[in-house]
Structure formats: C-alpha cells, structure tokens
Amino acid sequence: MEINLRKNKLLLIGTYHSTSKEYGTTDPVFFEQMGFALDVYSSYDKFLIAGDLNVQEGQECLDDFMDEFHAKNMVKEPTCFKNPENPSCIDLYITNSYRSFMKTTTVSTGLSDFHKMTVTVMKSTFPKSEPKMVRYRDFAKYKKEEFGRDLKMKLECQPQLTYGVFENIFLKTLDSHAPQKTMVVRANHKPYVTKEMRKAIMLRSQLQNKLFVHGTDEYRRAFKHQRNYCNRLYKRERTRFYCDLNLSNINDNKKFWKTMKPLFGNKGASRDNIVLIEDNNVMSEDSEVAQTFNKFFGSTVKALGITENKLLLTNVVGSNGKIADAIKMYETHPSIIQIKEHVTIESKFSFSPTTIGDIQSEIKCLKEKKAFPYMNIPIRRLKEMVHVVSKPLKDIFNEEIIGKRKFPSELKLADVSPIFKKLESIHKENYRPISVLPVVSKIFERIIDKQTNAYMEKYLSPYLCGYRKGYSCQHALLVMIEKWKKSLDEGGYAGGTLMDLSKAFDTINHKLLIAKLHAYGFGTESLEVIYDYLSDRWQRTKIDASFSSWSKILCGMPQGSVLGPKFFNVYINDLFYLFLCTSVCNVADDTTPYACDIDLPNLLHNLEGDSASAIFWFEANYMKLNQIKCHFLIAGSTEQLWTKVGEQVIWESSQEKLLGMHIDKELKFNYHLLDICKKARAKVTALARLAKLVPFEKKRILMNSFVESQFSYCPLVWMFCSRVLDKKINHIHERALRIVYMDYSSTFADLLKRDGSVTIHQHNIQLVAIEMFKVKNNLCPEIMKSLFRFNTNQKLKKAFFGPNVKTEYRGKQSLRYFGPIVWDYMLPKDLKAITSIEKFKTEVKKWVPENCPCRLCKTYISQIGFINVVIE
C-alpha cells in the first residue's frame, strides 16, 4: 500500500510470518522474499513493514534483514502474552525512516487473546531551511586568452614582485573578467528542478487554491490533470538529469557526486545550518556559531594543561637570534641527545632554488576539485595561467622564501570549517576543524617537501607508517597481526597497549622541532625558512558566507598543509629509539607498543617498561597522553589481565578499535566484518532506490564507490575470515550486482562473469599477489620483509620458503604462510615474469585465482568434511 501525505510517500507492507511447518515457511526464505519485494519496489525511499513476524530482535535472521536494508524496529515493549511469564515482542514495525515516526507504543484492546495492538504516529510535515545568500564569480563573459594577456602585462610591469603583490594583481584582474556577484539560493533546491518544472508546480498550486475556494468539478479535473503532469515531469527530468551528466566533465562530475553522496551517507543528508547549544542558549546565527567554534578551536591546546619541564631545558642568557636560542635551549633535552646518539650527519641540509619546470609540474598536479579559501585564487584559473604565473612564482620562491628566508604572510591564513564527527550535532566538541590554505601555499610546500624528504627519509624509523610514500595503515596493522599469529601458533602470547594522545598535531612545540631538525643536520638558513613558515599563522572559522574574527595559532602543525604531517613524523621519530623490548604499530598519532613472548609475565613486564618510557617521552615533548582512553589487548591468555599506563590501571579488553579496525583477542575480526557488512548493506539499499533513475554505467560506478569500497580497507588483515562471514560478504556483492544489472534470476557466478569481476575474496588474493610482487622486488617497507624467508638458491624454482606452522587459523591462515603459496604456486608464470609494478597491477586484475588452498575456497561435503586442493 502507498501512503502519500503532503508529498511524503511511504510504502506500507502488512505481513504475517508463519512458523508452522504445515505451510513450509522458514525464516531465511521469508526474509529473502521480503528483501526481493523491497528491491522490486525500490522506487520508494521509505518503507514500513507492519505485522506479526514471530521473531524478535536479537534473532540472527531479523537482525541480518534490518542491517541489509538499514532499518530499525520501533516496537520495544512486549506484544505477545501467550506465555505470561515470558512475554515476547513479535508484532513489529520495521522501517528505514524511523525519524519519520514517533510515539510508538502498545495498547491492550481486548480484541485478541494474547496480542496487544501496536500504534505509531507518522510525521507529515518537516521544517524547511531558510534560503541562503551565496557569493560567486560570474564567468559568463570570461575569456581565458584576454585574462591571460592582461595578467601577464600587469605582472611584467612590477619591478619588485612579492607574493602579496602577485596575489593582489591576480585577484583584481580576475575581478574585472569574472566579477563577484551574490544570489539567493533556496535551501531545498534540487539540481534536477528545471524552469519548466517550477512553472508546472506553480500552476498546480494555483489550481489547488482555486479548488479549495470554489470546489467545482472543473477545477478538480484541472488540478488532478496538472498534478499528474507534475509527477510525470518530475520523474522524467530526474532521470534525464542523471543520464545527461558527463562524468568526464568536471562540473558534471561535481554535480553528480554532490547529489549522490548525501543519499549514501551513514548519517543521512547533511544539514545546511549548524545549531549549537551552549550554557542553555541556542545559537543558530552563522556569525555567532562561527565565533563560538573559532574560540573553541583556539583554546583546545590550552585546555589540556600541558606544562613545561624546565629541568630538561638549558638557560639562554641574551639572544643570538630565534634559531640559535632554540638550539641552545634544547641542547640537553633527552630527545636531542637520543637523536645525536643514533644519527650520523654526513652533510648539512639546505634548500635549493627551484626552476620554472618544477613550478609548472606542481601546478599541473593540482586537483581542481580541492577546496580553496573564500574568494582567493581559484585552482582552475591558476592552472589555466600556468605559462603566465610560473616565472613570477619561481622568482618569489627563490628570492622571497630562499633568499630572504621569509614565507609570505598571505599564505599563512587559513579558513576553518567545522565538520561533524559523531554523537549529537548540537555540541561544539563533536566537530572536527578542517583548514583550507591558499593554493599557492601548496605549490611552495610541495617543493620544500620533496627536498626535505630526499634528505630525511634515511633517518626515519621503519615503524613510521603514516604520511610516507609506499607505507600505509595496512602495513602497520599487518606486521603486528602477523607477528601475533606467529607467536600464538608457537604456543606463546601477544599483547599491545593502545595509547591515546589528545590533540597531538596541535601540541607540537615549534622551537623543539627546530632543535630536532638541527640535530638531524639542517643548516641555519633552512631552519630560518621553516621557523618562519611555522610562525605567525592565523585562522578564522567559516560557516557558509559568515566568518569569525582572526585568531593566532601559537603552536602545532598547520592543519590542511603538505608540510605539517611530514614535520610531525620528524618530531616523533626519536620516540621509536625508546622501544627496546617491544615493537610498535604506528600511523600518525596512533602509537601502540606490542610484544610477543612465550612467557606471559615477561611479556607484561616488557610492555609496562616501554610504555613507561613512552609516557616520559610524551611529557618531555609537550604531548598529552589521555591515560583513561588507553586500552590493553592481549591474545593467547584465558585469564583476565591488566597493565599499568602511568598511574592508570587498565584491564584487558575483548576487542578494541585500532587504526579503523576492530581487533579482537582471537584475531578473527568478526566484529569488524559485521560492522562493514552493515554499512555495505545500507549502501546497497540506497543504490536500490536509485536503480530505476540512474543509467547502467553510473550505477556501476556507484556500486564500486560505495559498496565494494567498504571491503577495500586493510583487506589483507581480515581476509582469512570465517565461511559464514564470507557468505554474508558474497550475498551483499550479489545483491549489488543484481540491482546494477536488474537481473534477479542469474546465479552469482553468472553475474560476476557478466560484470567481468571476481568475488571479494578472489580480489583479496589478487592484492596478496601485488603485495608479494612488492616484497620480491624490494618495493615494500622494510618491516614487511621481516615476515618472509627469501630463497637464495637459484636451483630451486620458488622465490620464498614457507614457514613451519602448527595450527590452521593462526598458522596456515596467515599472510606469511599464504603469500608464498600465492606467488610460487598459484600465480601464472607470465605474470611473475613482469618487472613493472604498474603493468603487474593491470595484468593481475585480469587473473581469476583458481585452486586456492585456503579454508574459504575448500569444498565442504556433508559427513565427509573439507576437500583439500592439491597444488602441483
């Protein structure tokens, strides 16, 4: 049944789920057919299933169904009293739009012997957002050649060109060719609403009003005719909008994703306006909200209460300059002493002048979709004028930055946007600041980054897996999990302490960073450039077209910058010198010391010792460890254990989240996979609602972007999952393919063949082959090589020696065991002969893995068991 209230359509399904064997109904069949029904009626954004389902929340069949369709049950009270001592809740309201209902309850009517009547109230109206004033540039009469000619002439007339002058000339010239204008935009505007649609809707409203006034049959017929015409026009224009979008065109691509992302978002459509509540006052004005956020973001470091330990500093008498004073002040600091003990300086580092080719290369690499500060130099226009601006920018870098050792103050101004994280949106603590810097700043930073990277890479710890080319979260997690599995396979134990830092990037001390860079061999002139880059930075918070006042940044790495993450790595690099008894899993500010040992007390002793060293390092380096949020995870032990982090006693957890993955003490990743399956099901449901509107190619893009991508994060860590979870993943993949191809009769294998793709597990095997290619050809991080034994005997045809393992899950179901099998026995010879990583990645995607010996690929026969695959 369709319910249509005030243009708010809903599909109502009344159903009864019989548990009687007489009718041959089973739970899986019932919910599978219910799922097919929802896919068939996927044109309805909202649905409500009401009926006696004879199942309760907590039963696997119902929970899986609700996860798959991103739905919730609104009935929480018992409804069936057939057993008065144990009443059950089996009369349910299941909907994917639970915010559209309220006051769900149960009522005893006396009409049934055992069941109460369930009642819910559907909301029919929702408040509309206010129209917004938008400021934009009008490029209707813009001509690239004329703009380039004017810009070149004005730049050449400047004898002494600084960046401030360059920016002023560029923006003023752009103003004359593309003037700034303002317009009012309706908050509920949809991109597919055309002028014809607006006129038709206006006429429909006029006829509706006349019908209310006069009530004649003539007006009734006219209104119904116009209403039906508006509905047909809406469907036609919406379909045409998605069909006509050319994704190779930047503007069309932007429209497509801006329209689609809210439909696939975990939190639903994003809110245009931010409303905050503070001290029982409601703030909705953009300017007031912006000022509140700006004050909050600027005070977060001060609120941590970080103090300076003067016993670690050297007293500076007089001043010999900012750089010399910083080096002198921290010359006896523990970090500086550690660096000098471990680092041998071969030559001093200094910045080199750049060339026009370098500037042009960096400009061409800029992505036009990236944000830039409000009414600043647009990325697209800068790329169009690459031949005009390259020489001026080269001169500015060489003369102003390298020569005068001054980073332009105009490039130190950041616009900050608050992005909602989680929990309630009315509290400012639940927002994350995202900074946007001028585009030219990114060009200069990348040139500096390339020069410092070439020098610093040899000094960085192999455990630093963040913000480095060729390193990833997967490498950090994979090495830790593989070492844990190896220890457990050998009958030992493994454990780690998950440390939580508060505002790690914002607490970086600029002077201590300068002293560390000096200890690594940076010369005074290069340190002056870096110190000026870090100093005197300002930010303001932006809410739509409203801004807060400017506030100065006193410490920390510049948010949204290229150099910030790289300097953060340099700052924490000496921390890894302290881990003497443990290894460490690190990406950015997530640091987890872990240990493996056959003796449990020794393992705990090693963890506590290195954790204590890390705590001392955090305090000495102006970082705040949140001891309450630290966690302890141990595998291989059946008893409840604890450890100490500082003064805090931490009991072990059954599972914890590290680097975006839920890790349990059994290393089976069940919770993690159930979580991403739940997210993937919600994306498939969103895809089903668009199936009849979006063309095939765009549906396939959406499937790859929102469904398959859910299983692309660290797949080599969790790929050895259970057969039950693998079946759930395949079911999600199959349903997505059915929706894309509108095919509900073919088998999963036929759909994969038609799509030219493979299962998620087979894709993971392809990824294993790529990782083994990197290991074999020395293209992987150093820490990855420690997992494998290389064959140096050329007489043997295999490249790796497999490890001796004792158990199935922790031994055979590990990358150190499975990786060599994939490379030496499963991969075709022509693929192994490829020497280019780019070509190998292309060709391996065409390979369909066969004869895989892992547990997921074995055939199971009832009363016999698993059939092993023999690899010759």
Side-chain angles (χ1 to χ4, degrees):
M1 184 183 295
E2 177 187 290
I3 296 177
N4 192 339
L5 294 174
R6 296 180 180 266
K7 307 175 190 177
N8 190 23
K9 285 187 179 181
L10 178 136
L11 177 68
L12 174 63
I13 299 177
T15 185
Y16 170 69
H17 172 213
S18 172
T19 57
S20 173
K21 294 182 180 179
E22 180 182 350
Y23 297 99
T25 307
T26 60
D27 294 342
V29 172
F30 174 81
F31 286 107
E32 183 180 349
Q33 295 303 316
M34 185 67 69
F36 276 130
L38 290 175
D39 284 342
V40 170
Y41 293 101
S42 58
S43 57
Y44 291 91
D45 290 343
K46 304 175 183 179
F47 66 80
L48 175 65
I49 299 173
D52 180 1
L53 272 70
N54 275 307
V55 291
Q56 301 187 72
E57 277 192 82
Q59 292 183 238
E60 186 177 3
C61 56
L62 178 61
D63 290 348
D64 285 349
F65 175 80
M66 291 194 295
D67 285 346
E68 186 168 349
F69 290 93
H70 201 50
K72 285 188 177 181
N73 167 43
M74 298 183 294
V75 181
K76 303 299 179 183
E77 301 174 12
T79 61
C80 178
F81 292 85
K82 200 167 187 178
N83 181 358
E85 297 179 357
N86 186 24
S88 57
C89 181
I90 58 174
D91 304 283
L92 308 177
Y93 285 136
I94 298 174
T95 180
N96 64 337
S97 181
Y98 44 89
R99 292 188 180 91
S100 298
F101 297 88
M102 60 183 181
K103 298 183 180 178
T104 303
T105 187
T106 60
V107 179
S108 181
T109 61
L111 297 176
S112 171
D113 292 338
F114 309 114
H115 293 261
K116 282 188 174 183
M117 183 171 70
T118 53
V119 179
T120 190
V121 179
M122 181 180 175
K123 301 176 186 178
S124 59
T125 58
F126 297 88
K128 291 184 178 180
S129 301
E130 294 294 326
K132 294 191 298 184
M133 187 74 70
V134 177
R135 195 175 180 186
Y136 68 102
R137 287 192 183 276
D138 183 10
F139 286 96
K141 299 180 180 179
Y142 172 81
K143 294 182 180 179
K144 183 174 69 173
E145 294 77 12
E146 292 182 7
F147 172 65
R149 193 163 48 248
D150 288 355
L151 180 63
K152 183 177 181 181
M153 182 183 66
K154 292 178 181 179
L155 289 174
E156 288 176 347
C157 292
Q158 293 294 325
Q160 192 71 24
L161 189 66
T162 62
Y163 176 76
V165 175
F166 170 84
E167 185 182 275
N168 188 45
I169 291 174
F170 194 103
L171 292 176
K172 282 189 174 181
T173 308
L174 187 60
D175 285 340
S176 62
H177 289 266
Q180 299 181 24
K181 293 185 178 181
T182 56
M183 67 176 176
V184 177
V185 177
R186 291 177 61 183
N188 59 346
H189 170 74
K190 300 295 183 184
Y192 43 77
V193 177
T194 61
K195 190 174 183 179
E196 183 184 1
M197 285 180 64
R198 291 193 187 96
K199 286 185 176 180
I201 292 170
M202 288 175 62
L203 179 57
R204 182 192 64 187
S205 300
Q206 291 173 4
L207 291 172
Q208 187 180 33
N209 291 335
K210 289 180 180 179
L211 175 62
F212 287 155
V213 173
H214 302 288
T216 63
D217 291 338
E218 180 183 358
Y219 282 123
R220 183 174 286 104
R221 285 193 299 270
F223 166 69
K224 286 185 177 181
H225 179 270
Q226 187 64 21
R227 181 194 63 190
N228 294 338
Y229 172 71
C230 287
N231 290 338
R232 293 194 302 271
L233 187 62
Y234 170 77
K235 294 175 182 177
R236 187 185 75 196
E237 292 299 331
R238 194 178 178 193
T239 304
R240 181 186 296 175
F241 171 78
Y242 293 121
C243 290
D244 291 346
L245 286 177
N246 179 12
L247 298 189
S248 61
N249 181 285
I250 293 172
N251 290 331
D252 283 4
N253 194 296
K254 191 173 182 180
K255 285 180 185 177
F256 179 76
W257 291 112
K258 189 175 181 180
T259 309
M260 289 299 175
K261 281 184 179 179
L263 303 177
F264 286 86
N266 292 334
K267 304 179 183 69
S270 59
R271 295 178 57 182
D272 292 328
N273 58 323
I274 298 177
V275 178
L276 297 180
I277 295 180
E278 189 171 12
D279 298 329
N280 294 325
N281 295 322
V282 179
M283 290 179 288
S284 58
E285 289 292 329
D286 288 346
S287 56
E288 187 180 8
V289 172
Q291 194 64 35
T292 302
F293 272 122
N294 198 60
K295 184 179 178 182
F296 171 69
F297 293 149
S299 62
T300 51
V301 176
K302 188 177 180 181
L304 296 177
I306 298 174
T307 57
E308 193 169 57
N309 187 349
K310 294 185 178 180
L311 297 175
L312 304 177
L313 308 179
T314 302
N315 227 355
V316 178
V317 180
S319 178
N320 296 311
K322 294 179 180 178
I323 303 301
D325 290 349
I327 295 170
K328 179 68 176 175
M329 181 184 298
Y330 291 100
E331 65 180 1
T332 59
H333 191 277
S335 288
I336 305 301
I337 295 172
Q338 285 285 335
I339 293 171
K340 289 180 177 179
E341 287 179 357
H342 288 82
V343 174
T344 302
I345 305 300
E346 298 174 357
S347 60
K348 290 284 186 179
F349 171 82
S350 60
F351 289 114
S352 304
T354 192
T355 64
I356 292 178
D358 292 337
I359 296 290
Q360 290 179 342
S361 176
E362 294 301 335
I363 292 176
K364 290 176 182 177
C365 289
L366 294 172
K367 296 180 181 179
E368 296 182 20
K369 298 178 187 177
K370 293 289 184 181
F372 55 90
Y374 187 72
M375 288 301 165
N376 204 273
I377 297 177
I379 298 175
R380 185 176 181 181
R381 305 309 158 194
L382 189 72
K383 292 186 73 172
E384 289 177 348
M385 298 297 113
V386 61
H387 61 287
V388 177
V389 302
S390 297
K391 186 180 182 303
L393 291 179
K394 184 265 295 184
D395 294 338
I396 291 169
F397 184 87
N398 292 341
E399 296 172 14
E400 189 173 355
I401 298 178
I402 303 299
K404 297 180 181 179
R405 298 183 283 283
K406 293 288 183 183
F407 200 83
S409 58
E410 293 83 1
L411 299 179
K412 301 179 186 179
L413 306 177
D415 284 349
V416 178
S417 297
I419 304 298
F420 177 63
K421 293 187 296 184
K422 56 183 179 179
L423 302 178
E424 296 184 17
S425 60
I426 57 176
H427 299 304
K428 60 181 185 290
E429 296 84 4
N430 296 331
Y431 288 80
R432 176 186 291 111
I434 302 296
S435 297
V436 178
L437 293 169
V439 60
V440 178
S441 175
K442 301 286 182 72
I443 297 171
F444 292 160
E445 287 182 57
R446 284 176 181 167
I447 294 171
I448 293 174
D449 178 52
K450 286 183 178 179
Q451 295 187 19
T452 53
N453 266 355
Y455 177 81
M456 273 300 300
E457 187 63 30
K458 59 181 175 290
Y459 298 128
L460 294 181
S461 168
Y463 292 108
L464 270 171
C465 291
Y467 314 118
R468 296 174 72 182
K469 187 176 181 180
Y471 290 72
S472 67
C473 291
Q474 179 167 262
H475 290 129
L477 285 169
L478 195 56
V479 172
M480 185 184 79
I481 296 301
E482 288 295 314
K483 288 183 178 180
W484 283 26
K485 283 186 176 181
K486 181 181 179 182
S487 180
L488 296 177
D489 183 60
E490 295 172 350
Y493 304 90
T497 305
L498 287 67
M499 294 186 165
D500 182 81
L501 292 172
S502 300
K503 306 294 180 184
F505 276 75
D506 298 327
T507 59
I508 301 299
N509 185 285
H510 294 164
K511 291 182 178 179
L512 179 54
L513 174 62
I514 293 298
K516 290 187 178 187
L517 289 169
H518 178 263
Y520 284 117
F522 279 66
T524 304
E525 292 183 353
S526 59
L527 292 176
E528 288 179 5
V529 174
I530 294 170
Y531 191 76
D532 190 75
Y533 165 79
L534 295 170
S535 306
D536 299 321
R537 304 191 74 92
W538 297 76
Q539 69 180 23
R540 62 179 179 178
T541 302
K542 174 181 176 294
I543 305 290
D544 289 333
S546 298
F547 295 88
S548 68
S549 57
W550 290 97
S551 60
K552 191 173 183 179
I553 304 172
L554 300 177
C555 62
M557 290 293 99
Q559 291 280 347
S561 66
V562 175
L563 290 175
K566 305 303 173 69
F567 285 148
F568 181 84
N569 275 354
V570 175
Y571 192 84
I572 67 169
N573 188 56
D574 59 281
L575 166 63
F576 301 100
Y577 300 147
L578 303 178
F579 294 111
L580 303 177
C581 303
T582 61
S583 299
V584 62
C585 174
N586 170 268
V587 174
D589 58 335
D590 282 306
T591 302
T592 301
Y594 64 89
C596 302
D597 205 297
I598 200 72
D599 182 60
L600 183 58
N602 192 48
L603 182 146
L604 296 174
H605 175 76
N606 291 339
L607 274 178
E608 286 190 1
D610 280 1
S611 296
S613 299
I615 292 170
F616 173 77
W617 187 93
F618 293 139
E619 293 175 352
N621 285 267
Y622 307 98
M623 288 186 167
K624 184 72 172 180
L625 179 68
N626 192 342
Q627 297 181 10
I628 297 176
K629 290 188 178 181
C630 291
H631 301 284
F632 175 49
L633 196 65
I634 192 161
S637 173
T638 56
E639 57 183 307
Q640 186 76 8
L641 301 172
W642 56 270
T643 187
K644 287 190 71 174
V645 176
E647 299 300 321
Q648 190 76 25
V649 174
I650 303 175
W651 288 90
E652 69 163 308
S653 306
S654 58
Q655 66 88 22
E656 287 295 340
K657 191 173 184 179
L658 175 63
L659 299 179
M661 284 199 67
H662 296 276
I663 302 174
D664 57 89
K665 60 186 301 180
E666 298 296 327
L667 305 184
K668 292 187 176 179
F669 303 101
N670 291 347
Y671 186 87
H672 177 75
L673 285 171
L674 287 172
D675 185 52
I676 59 177
C677 282
K678 181 178 180 180
K679 293 176 182 177
R681 284 166 176 158
K683 310 299 183 187
V684 174
T685 302
L687 181 64
R689 291 199 296 267
L690 296 165
K692 295 180 181 179
L693 296 172
V694 181
F696 166 74
E697 283 300 328
K698 295 185 177 69
K699 280 192 291 186
R700 199 168 183 276
I701 290 171
L702 291 171
M703 178 183 70
N704 294 335
S705 302
F706 292 108
V707 181
E708 293 182 357
S709 64
Q710 296 295 322
F711 304 99
S712 63
Y713 181 73
C714 300
L716 303 190
V717 179
W718 55 259
M719 67 175 291
F720 303 103
C721 60
S722 67
R723 294 172 71 90
V724 173
L725 287 170
D726 185 61
K727 186 177 179 181
K728 288 180 183 289
I729 294 171
N730 287 338
H731 177 69
I732 294 168
H733 193 187
E734 179 184 354
R735 183 171 171 240
L737 288 171
R738 292 194 187 283
I739 291 168
V740 169
Y741 287 94
M742 303 297 286
D743 184 346
Y744 294 93
S745 58
S746 299
T747 63
F748 183 35
D750 291 337
L751 288 169
L752 288 171
K753 188 175 181 180
R754 185 177 176 184
D755 189 57
S757 59
V758 294
T759 65
I760 299 297
H761 179 65
Q762 288 175 322
H763 177 63
N764 290 342
I765 296 175
Q766 293 174 345
L767 295 178
V768 170
I770 293 173
E771 198 61 43
M772 297 308 295
F773 179 93
K774 293 179 181 178
V775 172
K776 183 178 180 296
N777 293 278
N778 201 27
L779 299 174
C780 67
E782 284 294 322
I783 54 175
M784 283 294 294
K785 296 178 185 177
S786 63
L787 301 180
F788 305 99
R789 293 169 55 210
F790 294 85
N791 173 30
T792 56
N793 187 351
Q794 296 181 356
K795 294 181 180 180
L796 299 176
K797 294 182 180 180
K798 58 184 182 180
F800 300 93
F801 287 119
N804 296 320
V805 296
K806 299 177 181 178
T807 62
E808 173 70 26
Y809 182 73
R810 291 154 178 173
K812 291 184 178 181
Q813 296 189 51
S814 63
L815 186 68
R816 64 192 176 92
Y817 179 85
F818 187 64
I821 291 177
V822 171
W823 182 266
D824 288 326
Y825 301 106
M826 293 179 60
L827 200 65
K829 292 181 180 179
D830 57 332
L831 290 180
K832 289 191 280 189
I834 297 174
T835 56
S836 167
I837 180 64
E838 289 78 15
K839 186 178 179 181
F840 184 83
K841 286 181 178 179
T842 303
E843 295 300 320
V844 83
K845 290 177 183 177
K846 303 174 185 177
W847 168 56
V848 179
E850 295 176 347
N851 295 330
C852 176
C854 79
R855 186 177 178 84
L856 295 181
C857 299
K858 291 177 182 177
T859 303
Y860 180 80
I861 300 178
S862 179
Q863 297 181 350
I864 296 177
F866 293 100
I867 298 178
N868 291 316
V869 177
V870 179
I871 300 177
E872 297 181 355

